[in-house]
Amino acid sequence: MDVKQGSTTFLKVIIFLIGIAMLALCIFWLPEIAIKDAKVHPDTAYFLIPFVVCAYGFCITFSVALYQAFKLLTYIEKSNAFSELSLQSLEVIKKCAFTIIFLILLGIVSLMVLAKVTGDDAAGPISLSLMGILVTSTVAAFVSVIQRPIKNFLEKM
């Protein structure tokens, strides 16, 4: 096993473990949190619906991006890094990043409405959400930077 294959295999294992954690989050953690919060605050339980929709949308979109990253690593292992397939995977990852940003913004709006109704302070969760937007937009920018040389290479061929 050479260094390149060892590195990509390591990254594939990390992506697989992140995917398992995301699946566990969707199956066990999110429903339990929603049920507990609905029991504690029955008067605002209907506000959980946008949060649950955003959370599951986030998980699904993130899982699609993980799958595309896994495929991209497979292309790299097969020496097809500069191919149309890798360019398509990068495009899907970038679209997933923008979808995640949209879902986080939707969650922020829902949180602000909930804060107005309940009178709570939502500054902490909103600041964490804005940090998530910053990280996701950094990923989208990084993917765009990676796409340019691949597009240039494919146009020259």
Side-chain angles (χ1 to χ4, degrees):
M1 179 184 288
D2 62 342
V3 174
K4 184 174 80 169
Q5 187 175 7
S7 300
T8 54
T9 302
F10 174 73
L11 289 173
K12 281 182 171 183
V13 168
I14 296 298
I15 288 172
F16 181 74
L17 291 175
I18 292 170
I20 295 295
M22 188 64 61
L23 184 65
L25 173 83
C26 289
I27 292 174
F28 301 112
W29 193 63
L30 282 176
E32 188 172 320
I33 294 270
I35 290 169
K36 283 182 181 178
D37 193 62
K39 287 179 182 176
V40 172
H41 307 289
D43 51 333
T44 58
Y46 57 91
F47 277 113
L48 284 176
I49 295 170
F51 290 114
V52 171
V53 168
C54 287
Y56 277 107
F58 176 85
C59 289
I60 291 168
T61 307
F62 189 72
S63 297
V64 169
L66 283 176
Y67 174 69
Q68 292 300 321
F70 192 87
K71 282 177 44 176
L72 187 62
L73 288 172
T74 302
Y75 300 146
I76 291 170
E77 275 183 343
K78 295 179 180 178
S79 298
N80 288 335
F82 289 94
S83 67
E84 189 66 36
L85 294 172
S86 62
L87 195 61
Q88 289 172 355
S89 289
L90 288 170
E91 188 65 32
V92 171
I93 291 170
K94 188 165 67 171
K95 288 178 182 178
C96 287
F98 289 128
T99 304
I100 288 171
I101 290 170
F102 172 75
L103 289 170
I104 292 173
L105 287 173
L106 193 62
I108 288 173
V109 169
S110 300
L111 188 61
M112 291 174 73
V113 170
L114 179 64
K116 288 285 184 190
V117 170
T118 60
D120 290 339
D121 184 23
I126 289 175
S127 64
L128 288 174
S129 300
L130 292 174
M131 284 186 246
I133 289 174
L134 177 66
V135 169
T136 308
S137 60
T138 304
V139 168
F142 183 70
V143 167
S144 292
V145 167
I146 291 175
Q147 278 182 318
R148 284 189 197 125
I150 295 174
K151 283 182 183 177
N152 292 339
F153 178 79
L154 292 175
E155 287 173 359
K156 289 179 182 178
M157 288 186 70

